[in-house]
PDB file of all heavy atoms in Angstrom:
ATOM      1  N   SER A 489      -0.452   9.154  12.559  1.00 98.00           N
ATOM      2  CA  SER A 489      -1.701   9.065  11.727  1.00 98.00           C
ATOM      3  C   SER A 489      -2.626  10.259  12.088  1.00 98.00           C
ATOM      4  O   SER A 489      -3.282  10.719  11.144  1.00 98.00           O
ATOM      5  CB  SER A 489      -2.436   7.776  12.076  1.00 98.00           C
ATOM      6  OG  SER A 489      -2.986   7.740  13.387  1.00 98.00           O
ATOM      7  N   ILE A 490      -2.570  10.750  13.208  1.00 98.00           N
ATOM      8  CA  ILE A 490      -3.341  11.992  13.595  1.00 98.00           C
ATOM      9  C   ILE A 490      -2.832  13.224  12.853  1.00 98.00           C
ATOM     10  O   ILE A 490      -3.562  14.032  12.284  1.00 98.00           O
ATOM     11  CB  ILE A 490      -3.402  12.239  15.082  1.00 98.00           C
ATOM     12  CG1 ILE A 490      -4.116  11.044  15.765  1.00 98.00           C
ATOM     13  CG2 ILE A 490      -4.160  13.519  15.418  1.00 98.00           C
ATOM     14  CD1 ILE A 490      -4.076  11.144  17.296  1.00 98.00           C
ATOM     15  N   VAL A 491      -1.419  13.284  12.854  1.00 98.00           N
ATOM     16  CA  VAL A 491      -0.807  14.340  12.111  1.00 98.00           C
ATOM     17  C   VAL A 491      -1.230  14.311  10.608  1.00 98.00           C
ATOM     18  O   VAL A 491      -1.396  15.312  10.001  1.00 98.00           O
ATOM     19  CB  VAL A 491       0.666  14.270  12.275  1.00 98.00           C
ATOM     20  CG1 VAL A 491       1.379  15.321  11.344  1.00 98.00           C
ATOM     21  CG2 VAL A 491       1.026  14.589  13.747  1.00 98.00           C
ATOM     22  N   GLU A 492      -1.181  13.043  10.067  1.00 98.00           N
ATOM     23  CA  GLU A 492      -1.512  12.813   8.665  1.00 98.00           C
ATOM     24  C   GLU A 492      -2.917  13.409   8.376  1.00 98.00           C
ATOM     25  O   GLU A 492      -3.174  13.956   7.306  1.00 98.00           O
ATOM     26  CB  GLU A 492      -1.426  11.392   8.319  1.00 98.00           C
ATOM     27  CG  GLU A 492      -1.511  11.107   6.886  1.00 98.00           C
ATOM     28  CD  GLU A 492      -0.414  11.629   6.013  1.00 98.00           C
ATOM     29  OE1 GLU A 492       0.709  11.273   6.286  1.00 98.00           O
ATOM     30  OE2 GLU A 492      -0.633  12.402   5.107  1.00 98.00           O
ATOM     31  N   GLY A 493      -3.905  13.076   9.293  1.00 97.00           N
ATOM     32  CA  GLY A 493      -5.219  13.494   9.114  1.00 97.00           C
ATOM     33  C   GLY A 493      -5.454  14.922   9.213  1.00 97.00           C
ATOM     34  O   GLY A 493      -6.412  15.517   8.681  1.00 97.00           O
ATOM     35  N   GLU A 494      -4.546  15.611   9.962  1.00 97.00           N
ATOM     36  CA  GLU A 494      -4.716  17.105  10.222  1.00 97.00           C
ATOM     37  C   GLU A 494      -3.946  17.958   9.195  1.00 97.00           C
ATOM     38  O   GLU A 494      -4.591  18.903   8.734  1.00 97.00           O
ATOM     39  CB  GLU A 494      -4.193  17.466  11.595  1.00 97.00           C
ATOM     40  CG  GLU A 494      -5.010  16.855  12.753  1.00 97.00           C
ATOM     41  CD  GLU A 494      -6.321  17.605  13.103  1.00 97.00           C
ATOM     42  OE1 GLU A 494      -6.795  18.375  12.159  1.00 97.00           O
ATOM     43  OE2 GLU A 494      -6.852  17.422  14.147  1.00 97.00           O
ATOM     44  N   ALA A 495      -2.718  17.587   8.772  1.00 97.00           N
ATOM     45  CA  ALA A 495      -1.920  18.423   7.976  1.00 97.00           C
ATOM     46  C   ALA A 495      -2.282  18.477   6.592  1.00 97.00           C
ATOM     47  O   ALA A 495      -2.695  17.487   5.964  1.00 97.00           O
ATOM     48  CB  ALA A 495      -0.483  17.991   8.174  1.00 97.00           C
ATOM     49  N   ARG A 496      -2.239  19.656   6.040  1.00 93.00           N
ATOM     50  CA  ARG A 496      -2.447  19.841   4.602  1.00 93.00           C
ATOM     51  C   ARG A 496      -1.192  20.395   3.871  1.00 93.00           C
ATOM     52  O   ARG A 496      -1.093  20.277   2.708  1.00 93.00           O
ATOM     53  CB  ARG A 496      -3.606  20.874   4.335  1.00 93.00           C
ATOM     54  CG  ARG A 496      -5.013  20.351   4.878  1.00 93.00           C
ATOM     55  CD  ARG A 496      -5.406  19.083   4.058  1.00 93.00           C
ATOM     56  NE  ARG A 496      -6.622  18.523   4.615  1.00 93.00           N
ATOM     57  CZ  ARG A 496      -6.676  17.577   5.510  1.00 93.00           C
ATOM     58  NH1 ARG A 496      -5.524  17.079   6.002  1.00 93.00           N
ATOM     59  NH2 ARG A 496      -7.875  17.125   5.930  1.00 93.00           N
ATOM     60  N   VAL A 497      -0.268  20.945   4.664  1.00 94.00           N
ATOM     61  CA  VAL A 497       1.045  21.361   4.008  1.00 94.00           C
ATOM     62  C   VAL A 497       2.126  20.736   4.857  1.00 94.00           C
ATOM     63  O   VAL A 497       2.070  20.714   6.083  1.00 94.00           O
ATOM     64  CB  VAL A 497       1.100  22.963   4.081  1.00 94.00           C
ATOM     65  CG1 VAL A 497       0.131  23.564   3.129  1.00 94.00           C
ATOM     66  CG2 VAL A 497       0.895  23.487   5.478  1.00 94.00           C
ATOM     67  N   ASP A 498       3.159  20.284   4.142  1.00 95.00           N
ATOM     68  CA  ASP A 498       4.273  19.563   4.786  1.00 95.00           C
ATOM     69  C   ASP A 498       4.943  20.322   5.898  1.00 95.00           C
ATOM     70  O   ASP A 498       5.370  19.753   6.907  1.00 95.00           O
ATOM     71  CB  ASP A 498       5.233  19.143   3.725  1.00 95.00           C
ATOM     72  CG  ASP A 498       4.745  17.905   2.907  1.00 95.00           C
ATOM     73  OD1 ASP A 498       3.786  17.280   3.344  1.00 95.00           O
ATOM     74  OD2 ASP A 498       5.395  17.713   1.884  1.00 95.00           O
ATOM     75  N   GLU A 499       5.118  21.701   5.699  1.00 96.00           N
ATOM     76  CA  GLU A 499       5.961  22.348   6.665  1.00 96.00           C
ATOM     77  C   GLU A 499       5.250  22.507   7.979  1.00 96.00           C
ATOM     78  O   GLU A 499       5.884  22.976   9.036  1.00 96.00           O
ATOM     79  CB  GLU A 499       6.365  23.744   6.125  1.00 96.00           C
ATOM     80  CG  GLU A 499       5.110  24.717   5.710  1.00 96.00           C
ATOM     81  CD  GLU A 499       4.662  24.610   4.339  1.00 96.00           C
ATOM     82  OE1 GLU A 499       5.009  23.564   3.715  1.00 96.00           O
ATOM     83  OE2 GLU A 499       4.092  25.606   3.807  1.00 96.00           O
ATOM     84  N   GLU A 500       3.981  22.202   8.087  1.00 98.00           N
ATOM     85  CA  GLU A 500       3.241  22.337   9.436  1.00 98.00           C
ATOM     86  C   GLU A 500       3.218  20.942  10.118  1.00 98.00           C
ATOM     87  O   GLU A 500       2.745  20.924  11.247  1.00 98.00           O
ATOM     88  CB  GLU A 500       1.859  22.853   9.259  1.00 98.00           C
ATOM     89  CG  GLU A 500       1.770  24.279   8.749  1.00 98.00           C
ATOM     90  CD  GLU A 500       0.386  24.817   8.707  1.00 98.00           C
ATOM     91  OE1 GLU A 500      -0.616  24.026   8.861  1.00 98.00           O
ATOM     92  OE2 GLU A 500       0.188  26.045   8.611  1.00 98.00           O
ATOM     93  N   ARG A 501       3.698  19.854   9.556  1.00 98.00           N
ATOM     94  CA  ARG A 501       3.507  18.540  10.220  1.00 98.00           C
ATOM     95  C   ARG A 501       4.207  18.528  11.593  1.00 98.00           C
ATOM     96  O   ARG A 501       3.625  18.068  12.611  1.00 98.00           O
ATOM     97  CB  ARG A 501       4.004  17.531   9.335  1.00 98.00           C
ATOM     98  CG  ARG A 501       3.128  17.302   8.038  1.00 98.00           C
ATOM     99  CD  ARG A 501       3.696  16.148   7.189  1.00 98.00           C
ATOM    100  NE  ARG A 501       3.037  16.216   5.867  1.00 98.00           N
ATOM    101  CZ  ARG A 501       1.832  15.649   5.566  1.00 98.00           C
ATOM    102  NH1 ARG A 501       1.179  14.978   6.477  1.00 98.00           N
ATOM    103  NH2 ARG A 501       1.346  15.851   4.366  1.00 98.00           N
ATOM    104  N   ALA A 502       5.423  18.998  11.590  1.00 98.00           N
ATOM    105  CA  ALA A 502       6.234  18.909  12.885  1.00 98.00           C
ATOM    106  C   ALA A 502       5.647  19.872  13.934  1.00 98.00           C
ATOM    107  O   ALA A 502       5.581  19.500  15.138  1.00 98.00           O
ATOM    108  CB  ALA A 502       7.650  19.274  12.682  1.00 98.00           C
ATOM    109  N   THR A 503       5.026  20.932  13.526  1.00 98.00           N
ATOM    110  CA  THR A 503       4.393  21.883  14.410  1.00 98.00           C
ATOM    111  C   THR A 503       3.110  21.244  15.062  1.00 98.00           C
ATOM    112  O   THR A 503       2.844  21.402  16.184  1.00 98.00           O
ATOM    113  CB  THR A 503       4.011  23.230  13.801  1.00 98.00           C
ATOM    114  OG1 THR A 503       5.302  23.735  13.273  1.00 98.00           O
ATOM    115  CG2 THR A 503       3.385  24.193  14.783  1.00 98.00           C
TER     116      THR A 503
END
Side-chain angles (χ1 to χ4, degrees):
S489 72
I490 296 174
V491 173
E492 188 68 57
E494 296 281 17
R496 294 296 176 267
V497 292
D498 284 344
E499 60 266 26
E500 289 187 351
R501 294 181 192 275
T503 302

